[in-house]
Each structure stands twice: as structure tokens, then as C-alpha cells.
């Protein structure tokens, strides 16, 4: 299985996802600027993966400053974390992972920087390793939702490229294939940055899984035509009432699924839940550069200087979500109830 983000010595090694599928290239990130740029420009992307990249990147970026005076080092640590936190605002995993690493440093003050830094490094590694386990558990929980010879529609990329493991929405698909069950995946290309056609199609094809790409605007007619049994997507943030922020276009698919009587499922680890907010309208939605629309992949695709509005995510109201597949099982509506149990479990483990 591919590794979207991992340690390589003291550097963070990622697959540069802006180059896929034309070129597979791994790059090493060491400085704060390199890590922040890689997250902003989607070289590494997907909610769990950007949390992991930020955690590992924070630790890597501090490596050259271990000899600094401890007070200056601690101030630098907070500055680096603040910079990384603002790189992408919607996926709550980013702030969650940074907070976990910061908490370790704050709890272990020392006269030297080496001890706290090593503890931060261990915590960042634990976040990566834990995510591998979370993905597998999501996969196992989600298997029951996929019928034999099922046709699954997905959007964007919530696979191995988006996590530390086998993905969230794609995890049950990988496990079904591992058990030699036949599954067909229909993936929307996911404009404007094409994570569906560039990334999901690439990783599923590589794994020998039957995958078909459709343009985003073919989704409505494709649902009945290709016999889609279920829609299964990832998430960037899920609120206490079960509203789901995910890649722009997800909300439209949820409406289409409801119209066609197809179940609409969301898969996410506990690190994607934000219990501090009730309603999805409080989720900050990232807006991307107009150039990504006007000049798609370098070609003029709209008149120069035409006004563009480019939200990267939308919010699907809980009412359209048939179930949420988590590392702690499949949650059903009403989510205010089922998520309370998840929140209690997370508080108990200080996650
Ligand atoms: O802008 P991206 O590519 O980071 O958006 C990714 C998504 O919307 C994914 O569906 C989500 O992060 C879940 S990844 C397991």
C-alpha cells in the first residue's frame, strides 16, 4: 500500500500529489516554509493526511533549533504551529493533530529542548500509526454496507493518498477486495482539482479494483444507469449534530442520492469530529484561488479576470446522511444521540 506521508530520517516524506497521475514523485520536507507550502498547494491533502503532515512537519521544522534557549524555542514552537494551523481551515484534523503535539511539549517542560522535542516526535509518530489502525477499523465497520457485486459511487479522494493508512471511504472497498468480493467503484472527477480522476482512479486502478471515472455533471443520470447501490464519501469536519463538510460537490451528490433512493454514507475517524460546534454553518469553508478555475492546470478555461467564486468544500446537512462509518462503528440518525457516545469516548481517551 502506498504511503502518503511518513518519516524519512528527520524529514517528512510525501508523495507530491499535484503531479499524479502523470508522475509519481516523493519529496522530503524539512522547513516550516516547505511543510506549509506543501499543505497549501495540496501536494499532501485529505483531512487525516494533512493532520499527520502538520504534526510530523512541526517536529521536523524545529530540528535545527534544538540549541536555542528554551524560552525562545517554546515561542518558536507556538509560532510554527500557528502558521501550520492556518494553511487550510476546513479539515479539523489539522488543528487536532497540532494540538496533540503541542500538548505534549507544554506538559513536558525541561531545561533542554531535546527531551520535549523527542516526546513531540513520538507523539507525531503515534498520530500516524494510530491513523493506520483507524482506517482499518473504518474499513471493517463499513464492510456491512457494501452488497456483494455492489456499485459504490465516491467523490474526491478519501483513500490511501488522503490518510496514513488505507483511507476512510475507500477502506471498506479495499477490505471487500481483500476478501475477494467484487466491487465496482464509480468516481466523480471532482472539479476543479480533479482529486477523483487524478487520485482515486489512480490508487484504485493500481490496487486492481474496478473503477470508472465520470464527469461531475454525469452523476445524476449515472446513479440509475450504472445501478449505483450507495454513495460513500469522506469528510473534513463533522459537527455535533452530524452536518458534514467535505469536498465541494458532496452536498449535490447527497441530494441526488436522496432523489434516487440511494443511501448516502460518510466515513471518518474520530479526529474529524468537531463537537465544539452544533451546526454546519459554523464550519469555516476554504476558498481557493480564482486561477484554479480560470486557468485549470495551466490552460485558459475562463476569460482572464472574470470574477470567480471557488469554495473548496460544502456542508451536507445531517438529514441527508444515511449513516456515518467511524472507527467506533456505524452511527445512525439521530446523530445528536449517536455522536454523544462517540464524544464521551473521545473525552475519556483525551483525543
Ligand atoms: O481539498 P482536499 O483534496 O484536501 O479535499 C479532500 C476531501 O474533501 C476528502 O474527502 C476528505 O478530506 C476526507 S479524506 C479521508
Amino acid at each position: 500500500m502506498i504511503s502518503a506521508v511518513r518519516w524519512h530520517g528527520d524529514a517528512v516524506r510525501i508523495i507530491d500529489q499535484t503531479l499524479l497521475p502523470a508522475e509519481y514523485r516523493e519529496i522530503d520536507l524539512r522547513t516550516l516554509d516547505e511543510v506549509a507550502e506543501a499543505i497549501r498547494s495540496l501536494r499532501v491533502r485529505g483531512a487525516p493526511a494533512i493532520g499527520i503532515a502538520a504534526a510530523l512537519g512541526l517536529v521536523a521544522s524545529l530540528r535545527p533549533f534544538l540549541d536555542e534557549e528554551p524560552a525562545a524555542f517554546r515561542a518558536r514552537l507556538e509560532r510554527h504551529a500557528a502558521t501550520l494551523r492556518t494553511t487550510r481551515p476546513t479539515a479539523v484534523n489539522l488543528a487536532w493533530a497540532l494540538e496533540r503535539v503541542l500538548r505534549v511539549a507544554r506538559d513536558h517542560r525541561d531545561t533542554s529542548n531535546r527531551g520535549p522535542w523527542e516526546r513531540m516526535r513520538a507523539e507525531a509518530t503515534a498520530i500516524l500509526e494510530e491513523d493506520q489502525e483507524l482506517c482499518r477499523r473504518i474499513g471493517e465497520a463499513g464492510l456491512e454496507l457494501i452488497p456483494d457485486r455492489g456499485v459504490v459511487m465516491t467523490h474526491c479522494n478519501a483513500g490511501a493518498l488522503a490518510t496514513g493508512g488505507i483511507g476512510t471511504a475507500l477502506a471498506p472497498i479495499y477490505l471487500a477486495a481483500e476478501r475477494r468480493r467484487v466491487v465496482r467503484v464509480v468516481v466523480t472527477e471532482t472539479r476543479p482539482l480533479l482529486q477523483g480522476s487524478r487520485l482515486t482512479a489512480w490508487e484504485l486502478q493500481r490496487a486492481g479494483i474496478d473503477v470508472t471515472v465520470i464527469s461531475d455533471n454525469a452523476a445524476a443520470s449515472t446513479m440509475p444507469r450504472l445501478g449505483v447501490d450507495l454513495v460513500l464519501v469522506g469528510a473534513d469536519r463533522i459537527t455535533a449534530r452530524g452536518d458534514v463538510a467535505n469536498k465541494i460537490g458532496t452536498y449535490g451528490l447527497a441530494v441526488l442520492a436522496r432523489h434516487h433512493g440511494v443511501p448516502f454514507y460518510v466515513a471518518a475517524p474520530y479526529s474529524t469530529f468537531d463537537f465544539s460546534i452544533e451546526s454546519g454553518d459554523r464550519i469555516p469553508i476554504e476558498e481557493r484561488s480564482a486561477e484554479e478555475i480560470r486557468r485549470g492546470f495551466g490552460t485558459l478555461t475562463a476569460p482572464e479576470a472574470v470574477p470567480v467564486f471557488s469554495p473548496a468544500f460544502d456542508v451536507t446537512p445531517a438529514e441527508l446522511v444515511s449513516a456515518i462509518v467511524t472507527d467506533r462503528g456505524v452511527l445512525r440518525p439521530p446523530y445528536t444521540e449517536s455522536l454523544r457516545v462517540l464524544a464521551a469516548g473521545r473525552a475519556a481517551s483525551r483525543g
Side-chain angles (χ1 to χ4, degrees):
M1 187 50 76
I2 44 175
S3 224
V5 49
R6 63 192 155 102
W7 284 119
H8 182 70
D10 282 336
V12 186
R13 177 158 287 188
I14 62 163
I15 299 169
D16 185 345
Q17 298 188 31
T18 61
L19 304 175
L20 287 171
E23 186 187 344
Y24 179 94
R25 192 193 299 168
E26 296 182 330
I27 55 171
D28 289 342
L29 314 170
R30 290 184 178 81
T31 68
L32 177 64
D33 284 353
E34 285 170 354
V35 177
E37 191 278 336
I39 297 175
R40 259 188 226 111
S41 63
L42 276 59
R43 293 186 202 288
V44 58
R45 44 137 310 276
I50 60 179
I52 297 163
L56 269 58
L58 175 64
V59 174
S61 72
L62 292 165
R63 174 80 183 76
F65 303 102
L66 287 178
D67 292 332
E68 252 178 2
E69 199 270 313
F73 183 79
R74 281 198 296 274
R76 176 183 298 282
L77 162 66
E78 298 288 342
R79 273 201 316 279
H80 284 207
T83 301
L84 292 173
R85 202 178 288 116
T86 59
T87 48
R88 297 200 71 196
T90 303
V92 74
N93 308 60
L94 178 63
W96 169 85
L98 287 169
E99 197 46 46
R100 258 182 77 164
V101 175
L102 281 175
R103 197 191 298 147
V104 165
R106 289 181 192 134
D107 289 352
H108 296 96
R109 296 203 168 204
D110 207 325
T111 44
S112 102
N113 300 322
R114 171 69 62 175
W117 182 80
E118 275 173 0
R119 284 174 191 271
M120 285 192 286
R121 188 182 160 112
E123 186 68 6
T125 308
I127 291 172
L128 167 62
E129 287 171 356
E130 181 190 274
D131 195 60
Q132 293 163 356
E133 181 56 28
L134 296 176
C135 289
R136 193 147 273 275
R137 282 203 233 140
I138 289 170
E140 276 154 14
L143 262 178
E144 65 175 68
L145 303 175
I146 302 183
D148 235 5
R149 309 201 159 267
V151 181
V152 182
M153 181 177 277
T154 191
H155 185 58
C156 193
N157 174 265
L161 285 168
T163 63
I166 58 171
T168 57
L170 297 194
I173 294 164
Y174 280 122
L175 291 195
E178 211 174 272
R179 286 157 211 209
R180 308 213 175 281
R181 283 173 48 192
V182 178
V183 184
R184 179 176 188 192
V185 179
V186 175
V187 61
T188 49
E189 61 179 353
T190 317
R191 284 184 175 258
L193 297 180
L194 307 182
Q195 289 92 329
S197 56
R198 290 191 306 107
L199 308 178
T200 298
W202 179 80
E203 71 164 84
L204 289 180
Q205 197 177 55
R206 204 172 164 275
I209 292 169
D210 181 351
V211 56
T212 302
V213 175
I214 59 165
S215 62
D216 292 337
N217 40 11
S221 59
T222 299
M223 272 188 200
R225 199 149 164 212
L226 294 189
V228 170
D229 293 297
L230 61 141
V231 178
L232 179 54
V233 298
D236 285 78
R237 193 184 297 228
I238 303 175
T239 70
R241 72 178 296 282
D243 293 341
V244 176
N246 191 48
K247 179 54 54 195
I248 191 77
T250 302
Y251 180 22
L253 285 186
V255 173
L256 292 177
R258 178 60 55 95
H259 178 78
H260 290 287
V262 168
F264 178 86
Y265 299 123
V266 174
Y270 78 94
S271 49
T272 300
F273 290 82
D274 183 352
F275 298 113
S276 74
I277 57 179
E278 195 61 35
S279 164
D281 57 18
R282 297 207 30 225
I283 299 176
I285 300 294
E286 175 184 6
E287 285 180 29
R288 301 286 302 176
S289 151
E291 282 305 279
E292 291 177 350
I293 306 262
R294 284 197 209 112
R295 206 170 282 281
F297 297 94
T299 302
L300 197 65
T301 45
E304 296 270 16
V306 74
V308 164
F309 173 53
S310 182
F313 301 94
D314 57 26
V315 176
T316 300
E319 291 70 23
L320 293 177
V321 179
S322 313
I324 306 177
V325 187
T326 76
D327 49 286
R328 296 174 194 189
V330 177
L331 308 181
R332 299 276 177 181
Y335 297 112
T336 348
E337 289 306 309
S338 45
L339 285 177
R340 227 196 297 279
V341 179
L342 191 76
R346 177 156 124 174
S349 64
R350 276 191 91 214

